[in-house]
Amino acid sequence: DAGVIQSPRHEVTEMGQEVTLRCKPISGHDYLFWYRQTMMRGLELLIYFNNNVPIDDSGMPEDRFSAKMPNASFSTLKIQPSEPRDSAVYFCASSPSGRYYNEQFFGPGTRLTVL
Amino acid sequence: KNEVEQSPQNLTAQEGEFITINCSYSVGISALHWLQQHPGGGIVSLFMLSSGKKKHGRLIATINIQEKHSSLHITASHPRDSAVYICAVTLTGTASKLTFGTGTRLQVTL
């Protein structure tokens, strides 16, 4: 398996533009997580899905952020409009079900810079 | 106060040294995870444990549930072990949702 795939790997955009980050989880994994990593705050969970359904979005910073999972093999995280403080590395991770808690497998991350 | 605290924040060691990184948590957990993040940025899960001890190669992770404390040990450290090590916990009742420590930056020199 190729592991968790994220695209793009790097994104540079201007303030006010819409940004869409993409994630393909490992086939067969039922959980998908979106994280943000910054120097100031470290790793933070933004939202996670189980069987394509959003379970907990309490970490989504504000209404400018939205996430979707239209099917088991694809998820997007969208920021509209983007702001410089959104600059961070965004990670997607997936994990299998079958237990109450499971090891998570992380993608390579998308480094977002908002100018 | 963070729910997950790590120490030290930074650690420099010479090749061959035995290294210990500590993690304390203040909440009920289902599991504790140790993650490794290399300078390139990728994150890899090293261990997931809910009791006792696990070993993988030169890495050993232990957890004491009563004391709410875990340690990650690296024996015979090597420069390739240089990375950020992150402790994370699955809070009781949150099914797979991770809460992270701030990480320990380890540098192993020749």
Side-chain angles (χ1 to χ4, degrees), chain A residues 37 45 48 56 100 103-104, chain B residues 37 45 48 93-94 96-97:
Chain A
Q37 186 178 39
L45 175 68
Y48 80 93
D56 185 338
Y100 192 65
E103 179 182 3
Q104 294 188 18
Chain B
Q37 186 170 28
S45 177
M48 183 181 67
T94 62
S96 293
K97 180 177 173 179

Side-chain angles (χ1 to χ4, degrees), chain A residues 51-72:
Chain A
N51 291 322
N52 312 339
V53 176
I55 302 301
D56 185 338
D57 65 354
S58 59
M60 295 286 263
E62 48 197 272
D63 292 346
R64 297 185 298 105
F65 285 69
S66 63
K68 293 183 180 179
M69 192 163 186
N71 57 62

Side-chain angles (χ1 to χ4, degrees), chain A residues 3-69:
Chain A
V4 176
I5 298 172
Q6 290 187 249
S7 65
R9 295 292 306 276
H10 301 271
E11 176 82 27
V12 180
T13 191
E14 291 191 344
M15 182 174 65
Q17 296 298 306
E18 177 179 297
V19 175
T20 300
L21 310 182
R22 297 173 176 81
C23 175
K24 177 178 167 54
I26 292 172
S27 177
H29 283 190
D30 295 334
Y31 286 89
L32 184 139
F33 306 83
W34 282 102
Y35 296 100
R36 179 172 67 176
Q37 186 178 39
T38 61
M39 289 293 292
M40 291 296 295
R41 299 172 68 90
L43 272 164
E44 302 174 284
L45 175 68
L46 298 177
I47 184 172
Y48 80 93
F49 296 83
N50 179 216
N51 291 322
N52 312 339
V53 176
I55 302 301
D56 185 338
D57 65 354
S58 59
M60 295 286 263
E62 48 197 272
D63 292 346
R64 297 185 298 105
F65 285 69
S66 63
K68 293 183 180 179
M69 192 163 186

Side-chain angles (χ1 to χ4, degrees), chain B residues 23-29 32 50-52 62-70:
Chain B
C23 176
S24 297
Y25 52 93
S26 56
V27 292
I29 69 168
L32 184 141
S50 56
S51 65
T62 63
I63 188 168
N64 184 319
I65 297 294
Q66 286 71 33
E67 295 188 1
K68 295 187 174 176
H69 180 268
S70 174

Side-chain angles (χ1 to χ4, degrees), chain B residues 3 14 27 33 53 55 70 85 106:
Chain B
E3 291 170 316
Q14 285 197 318
V27 292
H33 306 247
K53 173 173 143 179
K55 183 176 189 293
S70 174
Y85 292 83
L106 170 66

Side-chain angles (χ1 to χ4, degrees), chain B residues 13-87:
Chain B
Q14 285 197 318
E15 183 178 12
E17 285 187 10
F18 180 84
I19 289 164
T20 297
I21 299 170
N22 296 299
C23 176
S24 297
Y25 52 93
S26 56
V27 292
I29 69 168
S30 303
L32 184 141
H33 306 247
W34 281 103
L35 310 172
Q36 180 190 55
Q37 186 170 28
H38 272 283
I43 298 174
V44 175
S45 177
L46 298 175
F47 294 103
M48 183 181 67
L49 63 166
S50 56
S51 65
K53 173 173 143 179
K54 287 191 176 180
K55 183 176 189 293
H56 181 69
R58 295 179 295 105
L59 302 178
I60 304 167
T62 63
I63 188 168
N64 184 319
I65 297 294
Q66 286 71 33
E67 295 188 1
K68 295 187 174 176
H69 180 268
S70 174
S71 293
L72 176 69
H73 304 287
I74 305 175
T75 61
S77 59
H78 189 275
R80 64 175 175 267
D81 297 326
S82 298
V84 175
Y85 292 83
I86 302 169
C87 174

